[in-house]
Amino acid sequence: MWGYLSLLPICLAFGAIAGIWTVFSLAVVNKAVNLTEGFPYISVCGNAPPQSCIFSQVLNFGAASAAWICILRYYQLRDWGVRKWPNQVILWTGLLCALGTSIVGNFQEKNQRSTHLTGAFLAFFVGILYFWLQLFLSWRMKNLPQPGAPWIGPLRLVLCSACFVLEVAMVVLHSWSMRSVSAICEWAVAMLLFVLFGLLAVDFSRLDGCALCLQPGSGSLRPPPDSPTSLHVQL
């Protein structure tokens, strides 16, 4: 029986994919891009309003959802016995991916190109590193739980490999001025990353819920009488 937390990765995957293609459709309808001149990059579709507004909102939603997913995944791996420092490395790569996604959405390529490209690097290249690190962790820790069907692991390996190859192809083709083919690679990379996030729903299927625990620090004032020293909130 899957818990409600499994819906978070699924909503991210379907919501982001639908949102990005909505931006593309609006850009075509509003003639912000001309398909006869070549296939556009995702960022080009989100340069001009009104689609730029939807583009920012979609990526902000994706960034916030991805950050929550990475935090939940961190605590899940911790409870599975993963050591603190490798788990923190995985967490920070995921959070940097989420930050880059937000930067891409809020700093349009035509207005802040360098900032936009920095965000794209974090979203694409650090994002795929997040999933590679988890694959490496599952390979090193044979006793790590593997929820879902046996083919989930190989599927993730295939998706990560395809995503990395497409990222390299995207950069090389762009440097060769083959912009249309490079843009197609970019779209494929974005879809694969959304699918990889969506597959975390399989891992979250074992979670019934989560709880927030607040504890006073060592230097904090002593709580008043009859006051709890910690607060547990079921989410």
Side-chain angles (χ1 to χ4, degrees), residues 82-141:
V82 176
R83 289 185 297 170
K84 185 176 181 179
W85 74 264
N87 201 9
Q88 286 185 341
V89 171
I90 294 174
L91 171 64
W92 281 109
T93 54
L95 293 179
L96 286 174
C97 171
L99 174 63
T101 303
S102 179
I103 291 174
V104 168
N106 292 283
F107 294 86
Q108 277 77 25
E109 186 260 347
K110 70 173 183 179
N111 298 323
Q112 291 285 337
R113 182 177 175 81
S114 59
T115 306
H116 181 88
L117 292 178
T118 300
F121 173 81
L122 294 175
F124 286 152
F125 291 93
V126 179
I128 193 59
L129 177 62
Y130 174 71
F131 292 103
W132 274 119
L133 288 174
Q134 294 195 58
L135 280 174
F136 179 74
L137 184 69
S138 63
W139 175 72
R140 288 294 302 270
M141 297 184 64

Side-chain angles (χ1 to χ4, degrees), residues 147-172:
W151 49 265
I152 293 292
L155 175 61
R156 284 178 171 148
L157 177 60
V158 170
L159 294 177
C160 286
S161 302
C163 191
F164 178 74
V165 170
L166 287 168
E167 285 180 351
V168 173
M170 175 183 68
V171 174
V172 172

Side-chain angles (χ1 to χ4, degrees), residues 49-230:
Q51 55 268 14
S52 61
C53 305
I54 300 175
F55 182 67
S56 298
Q57 195 69 1
V58 167
L59 292 192
N60 284 334
F61 159 78
S65 300
W68 272 110
I69 289 170
C70 293
I71 292 170
L72 289 174
R73 183 63 169 161
Y74 169 82
Y75 284 106
Q76 184 181 46
L77 292 176
R78 182 201 65 178
D79 293 343
W80 284 352
V82 176
R83 289 185 297 170
K84 185 176 181 179
W85 74 264
N87 201 9
Q88 286 185 341
V89 171
I90 294 174
L91 171 64
W92 281 109
T93 54
L95 293 179
L96 286 174
C97 171
L99 174 63
T101 303
S102 179
I103 291 174
V104 168
N106 292 283
F107 294 86
Q108 277 77 25
E109 186 260 347
K110 70 173 183 179
N111 298 323
Q112 291 285 337
R113 182 177 175 81
S114 59
T115 306
H116 181 88
L117 292 178
T118 300
F121 173 81
L122 294 175
F124 286 152
F125 291 93
V126 179
I128 193 59
L129 177 62
Y130 174 71
F131 292 103
W132 274 119
L133 288 174
Q134 294 195 58
L135 280 174
F136 179 74
L137 184 69
S138 63
W139 175 72
R140 288 294 302 270
M141 297 184 64
K142 304 298 184 183
N143 61 335
L144 206 64
Q146 300 293 335
W151 49 265
I152 293 292
L155 175 61
R156 284 178 171 148
L157 177 60
V158 170
L159 294 177
C160 286
S161 302
C163 191
F164 178 74
V165 170
L166 287 168
E167 285 180 351
V168 173
M170 175 183 68
V171 174
V172 172
L173 291 169
H174 181 83
S175 66
W176 289 350
S177 298
M178 301 176 65
R179 304 299 169 82
S180 185
V181 184
S182 176
I184 293 173
C185 291
E186 182 193 43
W187 281 87
V189 167
M191 298 303 108
L192 288 174
L193 285 173
F194 292 145
V195 171
L196 283 167
F197 269 107
L199 281 176
L200 286 173
V202 176
D203 302 275
F204 290 177
S205 64
R206 292 192 174 187
L207 298 177
D208 293 327
C210 61
L212 174 66
C213 179
L214 303 179
Q215 295 180 338
S218 57
S220 62
L221 297 176
R222 178 175 297 178
D226 301 325
S227 174
T229 59
S230 63

